[in-house]
Amino acid sequence: MNIRRILTGSALLAVLAVQPMAANAASAAPAEATASTANAAPDCQRWPDSNTFGTYCSYADGNRYFRAMAKCKNGRTVPGQWKRVGSGTWSYAYCTSVNSSLSYGWAEIGN
């Protein structure tokens, strides 16, 4: 499966040092594609709170599926369910499932 990440939250710090964000730097939940991302960036919305990371992708450069991934403060990574790109359905990853809270999250894209 071809998988790519879109990061948000504190995970962006390392990415931003190499690739500064464009005009929307003031966004509450910024996204930046990693270097392994193909030419066209996926169009994904993000929704984090203190325990949960949610995402929805309406476009993903020819890929068919996406899911939310959450890195929790206890160090564990929690996946959301795979959803079809453009379906109108969000994927959520819950850190409460591992007795923790959210550190950061990203959208994982795959075929």
Side-chain angles (χ1 to χ4, degrees):
M1 180 180 280
N2 178 16
I3 296 176
R4 295 182 275 165
R5 289 183 180 186
I6 297 173
L7 302 174
T8 187
S10 60
L12 279 174
L13 296 177
V15 175
L16 291 176
V18 178
Q19 301 174 340
M21 286 179 57
N24 253 349
S27 171
E32 182 76 25
T34 63
S36 64
T37 301
N39 296 336
D43 182 16
C44 299
Q45 299 175 40
R46 293 148 311 278
W47 180 86
D49 71 10
S50 61
N51 298 313
T52 306
F53 180 78
T55 190
Y56 167 70
C57 297
S58 60
Y59 172 78
D61 192 29
N63 291 284
R64 295 179 297 193
Y65 298 96
F66 70 93
R67 70 176 171 182
M69 296 292 292
K71 185 69 169 185
C72 304
K73 290 185 179 176
N74 66 2
R76 296 186 60 187
T77 301
V78 178
Q81 290 186 325
W82 286 105
K83 302 293 183 179
R84 187 173 275 289
V85 170
S87 66
T89 306
W90 285 66
S91 176
Y92 296 95
Y94 301 96
C95 286
T96 53
S97 69
V98 293
N99 298 313
S100 189
S101 56
L102 181 67
S103 180
Y104 62 91
W106 66 93
E108 189 169 70
I109 310 294
N111 281 330

